[in-house]
Amino acid sequence: MNAVPSRRAKRLILTGVAGLAAVTLAGCASGSGGGGEAGGPLVLYTWAASEGDQAQWADFISGAQAEDPDLDISVEGPSFADYWTKVKTRLSGANPPCLLTTQAARAQELGDLLMPLDDLIEKAGFDTSEIDSSMLSGMTVDGTIRAIPYDAEPIVLFYNVEAFQAAGLELPGTEYTRDQFVSDAKALTNGEKKGLAIAPGIFIPNAWSLADGVPAVTEDGDLDLTNDDFVDQIQSFFDLVAVDQVAKAPEAADGSEVSQQAFTSGEVPMLIEGPWMYGSFADAADFTLGVTIVPSTSGTAAAMTAGSGFGIAANCERPDEAFAAIEALTSVSVQEKQAEARGIVPARIEALPAWAEGKTEGAADVVEALLADATPQRTTPTWNQVETLMTQYGVQGYRGELTAAEIMETIQNSVAG
């Protein structure tokens, strides 16, 4: 499973209960006019198995209906983990749905299922300049936009403000060099109590690498794990454990909740994660939550963004209606509501100030600085294998038993072979 969804799924908050039953009932039958029946409801096929998922989509739809009272959307779909395989089967069945969700990290994988939207965008006069450019880039396949993003989540470094203050450290903000980060992490490390919590997998190491502008996938969409620059980036991340000793090596069986709980409990004062976790962390921690950039060599802000959006099935027979629905679902008012209620960072630039509500001073400045120089997490159709193998072999990298060059070559050859 891709590391992005496993983390994003945990952020859902059960709200919108009033609309929950309606969405659940509407999504029960696959023959609900999703694509073929003019005048019937448009079906949104998405990850919709949990109450949290259903509540989120109920909120999206109620917000969109405030924009367009005639909008009629029902929801159906499996769990998040099953969605990426079952969506392919669902679209080949009877009365396929018109609306789909995807993530920038998975847009390439679903590319053949998603209709190019460029003509619809032009026809509707939809202004893509109002949408975060990194996420639009992530939703582009073969030169055409396949989905309109509703969020743009730059990966950040969370830190315990009181722990920094107790150690006499300056609080980091929109700039943070790796040298200063390692120095701070060492100051916050005391024996078995480490300065940074790390989860297994490639999601966070990839964000670390992209903070220095080094991707794992080429612009042509090819897996490029063995290029020297990327290997150096991964080795520097392994070295936080093996050399600098400011973090413990994660276990391959650890879920992301292990590192998250170490952070929110106060055991470990720093953690790299997505900003969608802010609300959950703030609720769980009894310390002030600080937010800064993922450290870069230069100290300047640059981010890997993760996010999701709405697309149209390639075989949809009602594309104009479907795109009108997407316009409403991704409107400024809907994204503002989602930012305030759920803490997602909206993809619409105009809605971004809504994310600042209830956050600590400077957090929104960090997010804005990161989005000013952001790159989407690009993956390949074989990325699940990359994630699995990095989870397996990365532990040995953190322990100093294998080098990043050895591990990246093993993964590249295994996936390519």
Side-chain angles (χ1 to χ4, degrees), residues 92-415:
S92 64
N95 193 28
C98 262
L99 295 170
L100 306 176
T101 48
T102 188
Q103 294 183 324
R106 309 294 286 260
Q108 301 293 327
E109 181 180 345
L110 298 188
D112 291 342
L113 305 181
L114 294 165
M115 179 182 295
L117 300 181
D118 298 69
D119 290 343
L120 290 166
I121 288 170
E122 182 177 1
K123 183 178 180 181
F126 186 85
D127 189 355
T128 56
S129 69
E130 297 177 353
I131 307 293
D132 177 75
S133 60
S134 71
M135 286 305 304
L136 278 176
S137 174
M139 299 293 190
T140 297
V141 179
D142 294 333
T144 58
I145 297 172
R146 304 301 175 96
I148 302 299
Y150 59 77
D151 66 341
E153 312 275 4
I155 308 308
V156 300
L157 174 68
F158 289 99
Y159 64 91
N160 181 326
V161 170
E162 283 79 10
F164 266 69
Q165 292 172 333
L169 302 175
E170 182 178 350
L171 301 181
T174 57
E175 296 184 354
Y176 203 24
T177 67
R178 289 191 178 169
D179 286 344
Q180 186 61 55
F181 162 72
V182 171
S183 175
D184 290 346
K186 287 180 177 179
L188 293 163
T189 295
N190 183 8
E192 288 301 304
K193 184 175 181 180
K194 302 299 184 181
L196 176 72
I198 292 177
I202 200 166
F203 180 66
I204 297 303
N206 197 19
W208 174 269
S209 185
L210 280 172
D212 259 7
V214 180
V217 176
T218 69
E219 291 185 2
D220 294 330
D222 297 323
L223 193 64
D224 194 24
L225 302 180
T226 55
N227 81 76
D228 290 342
D229 290 340
F230 187 73
V231 168
D232 288 346
Q233 289 288 327
I234 299 303
Q235 187 63 58
S236 71
F237 198 73
F238 286 159
D239 286 349
L240 296 174
V241 177
V243 177
D244 301 313
Q245 298 183 359
V246 298
K248 292 180 182 179
E251 298 296 332
D254 289 350
S256 57
E257 66 275 3
V258 174
S259 58
Q260 292 169 2
Q261 289 170 2
F263 174 67
T264 57
S265 70
E267 176 187 347
V268 179
M270 290 191 288
L271 175 70
I272 299 173
E273 254 296 358
W276 57 81
M277 294 303 302
Y278 189 103
S280 297
F281 288 171
D283 289 342
D286 65 359
F287 55 82
T288 306
L289 201 60
V291 178
T292 185
I293 70 171
V294 175
S296 63
T297 300
S298 68
T300 57
M304 180 182 86
T305 47
S308 303
F310 299 103
I312 300 175
N315 57 355
C316 173
E317 297 180 3
R318 301 159 61 186
D320 291 314
E321 291 179 62
F323 191 76
I326 290 175
E327 288 186 275
L329 289 165
T330 61
S331 65
V332 172
S333 62
V334 170
Q335 292 195 19
E336 286 177 336
K337 180 181 178 183
Q338 291 293 317
E340 292 167 358
R342 299 177 182 278
I344 71 167
V345 177
R348 278 195 175 271
I349 298 165
E350 186 180 344
L352 189 57
W355 187 83
E357 294 295 323
K359 308 300 187 297
T360 51
E361 183 178 357
D365 293 335
V366 168
V367 167
E368 288 186 26
L370 288 169
L371 289 179
D373 186 7
T375 302
Q377 185 197 18
R378 286 194 174 88
T379 66
T380 65
T382 58
W383 196 253
N384 278 349
Q385 295 172 257
V386 174
E387 177 68 33
T388 299
L389 291 169
M390 181 64 171
T391 299
Q392 176 184 349
Y393 293 112
V395 174
Q396 293 173 275
Y398 291 116
R399 293 173 178 167
E401 298 167 356
L402 292 174
T403 66
E406 292 170 326
I407 292 172
M408 292 304 104
E409 183 176 9
T410 296
I411 296 175
Q412 180 84 28
N413 291 342
S414 298
V415 173

